């Protein structure tokens, strides 16, 4: 879908139904979130591969964000600050032609100790989700979900 050239004004009479698009996005984001949770209930995160490129994504993430502590709550303001957006954009663009839907919006738990919930969930891009969840899985931080489901 094209909205026209950058800076062009949007004529509401000519625009597609954005409300329907938002609803479709929300459905897809929730499906992704519930599917991932269901997988974590059936398999320990430490044994899970999210993509064929998990090793590369993990190494790239650790080198690009050496200060990131997967055990801690994500600072959403820092992540979405001007500097944070620039760092993430540079990281994500490496996967533009390698990972489907690399820049599609999805839901991410702010802290691996908690389930998805209104206060525990942030909106993120798919590559942010992959990078952070691969890191959490490698450190066994999502294994509690499997253990809880099987206790």
């Amino acid at each position: 879908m094209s909205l026209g050239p950058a800076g062009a004004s949007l004529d509401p009479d000519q625009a597609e139904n954005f409300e329907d698009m938002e609803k479709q996005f929300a459905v897809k984001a929730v499906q992704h979130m519930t599917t991932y949770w269901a997988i974590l209930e059936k398999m320990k995160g430490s044994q899970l591969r999210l993509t064929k490129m998990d090793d590369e994504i993990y190494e790239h993430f650790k080198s690009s964000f050496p200060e990131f502590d997967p055990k801690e709550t994500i600072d959403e303001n820092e992540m979405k600050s001007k500097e944070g957006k620039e760092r993430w954009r540079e990281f994500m663009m490496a996967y533009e032609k390698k990972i489907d839907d690399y820049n599609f919006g999805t839901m991410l738990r702010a802290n691996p100790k908690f389930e998805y919930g209104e206060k525990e969930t942030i909106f993120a891009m798919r590559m942010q989700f992959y990078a952070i969840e691969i890191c959490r899985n490698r450190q066994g931080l999502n294994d509690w979900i499997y253990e809880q489901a099987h206790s």
Side-chain angles (χ1 to χ4, degrees):
M1 172 184 75
S2 173
L3 298 178
S9 62
L10 180 63
D11 179 354
D13 295 328
Q14 300 295 320
E16 295 180 32
N17 190 335
F18 290 112
E19 189 174 318
D20 284 346
M21 289 174 57
E22 287 178 358
K23 287 177 186 173
Q24 290 171 1
F25 161 76
V27 167
K28 191 166 182 171
V30 169
Q31 286 174 338
H32 181 263
M33 179 179 73
T34 55
T35 299
Y36 183 59
W37 192 262
I39 291 168
L40 289 174
E41 288 180 323
K42 290 179 177 42
M43 171 184 262
K44 288 184 178 181
S46 58
Q47 299 171 341
L48 182 62
R49 290 187 63 83
L50 296 179
T51 74
K52 294 176 183 175
M53 300 182 64
D54 280 14
D55 294 337
E56 179 182 325
I57 293 167
Y58 179 73
E59 293 304 323
H60 183 201
F61 179 61
K62 295 302 283 178
S63 67
S64 296
F65 296 89
E67 75 285 358
F68 183 79
D69 184 347
K71 296 183 287 298
E72 298 300 320
T73 299
I74 295 168
D75 182 340
E76 185 175 8
N77 292 328
E78 183 181 314
M79 186 170 110
K80 295 183 178 181
S81 70
K82 184 178 182 200
E83 180 187 342
K85 285 179 180 179
E86 289 171 8
R87 288 179 74 196
W88 276 107
R89 186 178 305 111
E90 183 179 329
F91 175 84
M92 289 173 37
M93 290 311 293
Y95 302 96
E96 181 180 19
K97 298 196 184 325
K98 298 177 183 179
I99 300 287
D100 291 340
D101 297 331
Y102 78 102
N103 65 347
F104 193 83
T106 192
M107 307 309 286
L108 175 68
R109 290 175 299 139
N111 187 303
K113 298 177 188 114
F114 304 107
E115 295 184 27
Y116 286 100
E118 185 179 337
K119 292 184 172 119
E120 298 79 22
T121 305
I122 59 177
F123 177 77
M125 297 293 106
R126 183 71 48 95
M127 278 312 303
Q128 292 172 311
F129 170 86
Y130 282 146
I132 292 167
E133 288 298 324
I134 288 167
C135 191
R136 288 172 173 173
N137 287 338
R138 295 276 171 105
Q139 294 191 23
L141 299 174
N142 287 328
D143 288 356
W144 69 269
I145 299 163
Y146 173 85
E147 292 159 6
Q148 178 179 291
H150 294 271
S151 62

